[in-house]
Amino acid sequence: MENFMSDADDISSSYGDETVLTHLGRNPKDQHGFVNTPVVRGSTVLFESFEELESGKRQYAYGRHGNPTNDAVRHVITNLERADDTFLAPSGLSAISTALTAVAHSGDHILISDSAYEPTRQFCESVLRPNKIDVEYYDPRIGSRISDLIRSNTTAILTESPGSLTFEVQDLPAIAQARGNREIAIIADNSWATPLYYKPLELGADIVVHAGTKMFVGHSDVLFGTISTNEKWTNKVRGAYKALGVCVSPEDSFLVARGLRTLSLRMKEHQKRALDLAHWLEGHALVEKVIHPALKQHPDHDIFMRDFTGSGSLFAFTLKDAPKNAVSEMLNHMRLFGMGYSWGGFESLILPVTIKQQRSATRWKEEGNLFRLHIGFEDFDDLKADLDDAIKRYAAEANF
Ligand SMILES: *Cc1c(COP(=O)(O)O)cnc(C)c1O
């Protein structure tokens, strides 16, 4: 692991995640007592002498290869994920594409969950497949049966648990066991639960990626990604990462570090509000189904309870099928729920989703129109009223 600036390093192993979030990645003694690691802008780093330049021993030698503001974030995420190291990317998608590029080469076979984030599929189709990497999608509920799909040239298995549109929970320990000792990197997209509620490396994954854009940032104002690796895969990922020239702005890292300080409090609140609203929707006469892995009737609830210690802000519900004008009537007049991509901010969001286009290995069987919700920090009664009115507009337009 690289040498980080914080002297909280020595204490990190014995402290809990909330202490890690508040104390790591900053060292007031190094910055005139000011609490936070400042934004250090720069490309060129000046050397004192020819000998120092030649020694290669400087902690920072060039802006693309490291910077104290960026290291503040790396340090916190590495600790939370129980990882060996963390690399920063300019978006969640860039974290995923960099991780896949590091472990998949021409002639290799890779397995991608059918529930994976749609742009992950697009990267596989438009970059990996044309470069002669055999991409195969698998049923997210496959568990140990993934052993039937593993070939001698398989080099990566990508999981996303739960899927950010359909919320299938994957049996990561079973997948890891089926992988055994083979040189196959299991890459887990952990954006939904964050490392506070799910630790993929402890369950058998090798590489964890995050859309830091979502929960780490928490304010809908930065695009960011992280790649955390276990000891086995650090060098391989670092090699590809450096060669590709992937790097991030220290301004963005500063905002991510700031977001991380309140991650635990925000997640607790997101979790509670999302569950309250999910329960309320379950009892709503016009709602067909609520899809949230923390609800008892979710098909993967047992795996969820076994492997996760909490749940996120994001879940879905379905309404009986109705023509587009009902969806339009419902969404166009919402007062609080914003309509837009992404999630993870302080504000609530709703997104209509059509799943069919995003599937190839499995068929999405849920009937009706699906809406994905991100629950933010508005007053609960105001959110309920906004959603209730919206659902009633939908039903009225559809003549239910
Ligand atoms: C948003 C998202 C990404 C991509 O993150 P960007 O920062 O938008 O590139 C990846 N995975 C999941 C699960 C996401 O929700």
Side-chain angles (χ1 to χ4, degrees):
M1 182 143 119
E2 300 210 0
N3 183 23
F4 289 103
M5 54 184 293
S6 174
D7 63 5
D9 229 1
D10 348 320
I11 58 161
S12 61
S13 54
S14 58
Y15 280 88
D17 286 349
E18 293 190 334
T19 308
V20 167
L21 282 170
T22 45
H23 281 267
L24 257 64
R26 57 188 189 81
N27 189 358
K29 272 185 261 166
D30 286 354
Q31 54 220 29
H32 313 285
F34 287 101
V35 170
N36 291 303
T37 303
V39 176
V40 178
R41 298 192 58 96
S43 48
T44 300
V45 178
L46 299 176
F47 296 88
E48 300 276 328
S49 65
F50 167 70
E51 286 71 24
E52 190 188 38
L53 179 99
E54 222 188 17
S55 77
K57 290 218 171 93
R58 275 287 287 264
Q59 185 176 1
Y60 299 110
Y62 184 52
R64 175 153 41 74
H65 295 158
N67 160 309
T69 320
N70 295 346
D71 280 352
V73 174
R74 293 177 62 203
H75 197 192
V76 174
I77 302 303
T78 296
N79 274 276
L80 291 181
E81 288 290 4
R82 314 286 189 258
D84 178 51
D85 208 344
T86 295
F87 306 94
L88 308 181
S91 68
L93 180 59
S94 166
I96 293 163
S97 63
T98 301
L100 282 169
T101 303
V103 301
H105 303 102
S106 173
D108 290 348
H109 169 249
I110 64 170
L111 289 161
I112 306 288
S113 171
D114 213 22
S115 60
Y117 180 65
E118 172 67 6
T120 300
R121 293 177 84 101
Q122 276 163 23
F123 172 71
C124 291
E125 293 307 316
S126 60
V127 178
L128 298 186
R129 201 182 292 285
N131 281 293
K132 308 240 170 344
I133 290 155
D134 190 355
V135 181
E136 182 175 354
Y137 300 93
Y138 67 90
D139 179 353
R141 296 198 164 110
I142 199 165
S144 58
R145 285 179 295 117
I146 201 158
S147 56
D148 298 340
L149 302 182
I150 293 174
R151 305 180 197 162
S152 58
N153 62 338
T154 305
T155 57
I157 300 172
L158 184 131
T159 67
E160 184 184 317
S161 186
S164 66
L165 295 175
T166 49
F167 304 97
E168 290 108 325
V169 182
Q170 299 197 246
D171 193 340
L172 180 55
I175 290 172
Q177 200 186 9
R179 184 271 318 268
N181 297 325
R182 280 173 280 220
E183 288 292 307
I184 301 172
I186 298 179
I187 303 170
D189 185 331
N190 193 20
S191 303
W192 184 82
T194 82
L196 293 177
Y197 296 159
Y198 190 51
K199 299 211 189 286
L201 296 182
E202 291 186 340
L203 297 171
D206 302 286
I207 299 171
V208 179
V209 289
H210 279 278
T213 308
K214 313 291 168 55
M215 286 302 166
F216 293 173
V217 169
H219 293 75
S220 308
D221 51 8
V222 181
L223 286 153
F224 206 82
T226 65
I227 312 163
S228 299
T229 49
N230 65 14
E231 223 166 284
K232 183 170 175 185
W233 292 92
T234 295
N235 283 339
K236 199 152 199 181
V237 171
R238 182 187 288 122
Y241 177 85
K242 280 194 164 175
L244 286 166
V246 181
C247 56
V248 300
S249 155
E251 309 269 358
D252 290 346
S253 284
F254 180 85
L255 289 170
V256 175
R258 168 187 282 205
L260 286 169
R261 304 301 175 203
T262 57
L263 179 67
S264 176
L265 291 173
R266 287 186 288 109
M267 285 303 288
K268 279 181 198 166
E269 210 44 44
H270 282 301
Q271 164 169 243
K272 184 180 164 303
R273 285 155 187 265
L275 276 170
D276 284 353
L277 213 70
H279 286 302
W280 174 76
L281 282 169
E282 267 193 314
H284 196 292
L286 294 166
V287 170
E288 291 283 290
K289 192 162 201 174
V290 180
I291 307 171
H292 188 314
L295 298 184
K296 266 205 191 70
Q297 74 277 14
H298 189 279
D300 309 318
H301 184 65
D302 291 346
I303 298 175
F304 174 79
M305 292 304 286
R306 185 193 67 193
D307 294 347
F308 291 71
T309 56
S311 58
S313 65
L314 207 61
F315 68 99
F317 71 98
T318 60
L319 297 177
K320 219 192 303 177
D321 251 326
K324 269 208 175 125
N325 58 316
V327 179
S328 155
E329 194 55 33
M330 169 178 169
L331 297 178
N332 286 352
H333 306 283
M334 300 212 70
R335 299 178 298 271
L336 297 174
F337 278 88
M339 189 178 7
Y341 297 108
S342 199
W343 47 279
F346 50 84
E347 82 292 7
S348 293
L349 295 170
I350 186 166
L351 190 71
V353 184
T354 310
I355 301 295
K356 291 188 191 75
Q357 300 146 4
Q358 286 126 342
R359 293 267 161 165
S360 57
T362 51
R363 213 167 59 80
W364 179 246
K365 293 194 193 74
E366 297 297 342
E367 302 285 328
N369 271 323
L370 186 134
F371 299 89
R372 185 183 76 175
L373 298 176
H374 162 73
I375 308 304
F377 300 144
E378 298 90 345
D379 274 289
F380 189 61
D381 287 340
D382 294 338
L383 287 179
K384 248 180 14 187
D386 196 24
L387 212 50
D388 189 40
D389 289 349
I391 293 168
K392 284 177 177 153
R393 281 196 302 275
Y394 178 94
E397 190 70 17
N399 281 318
F400 290 158

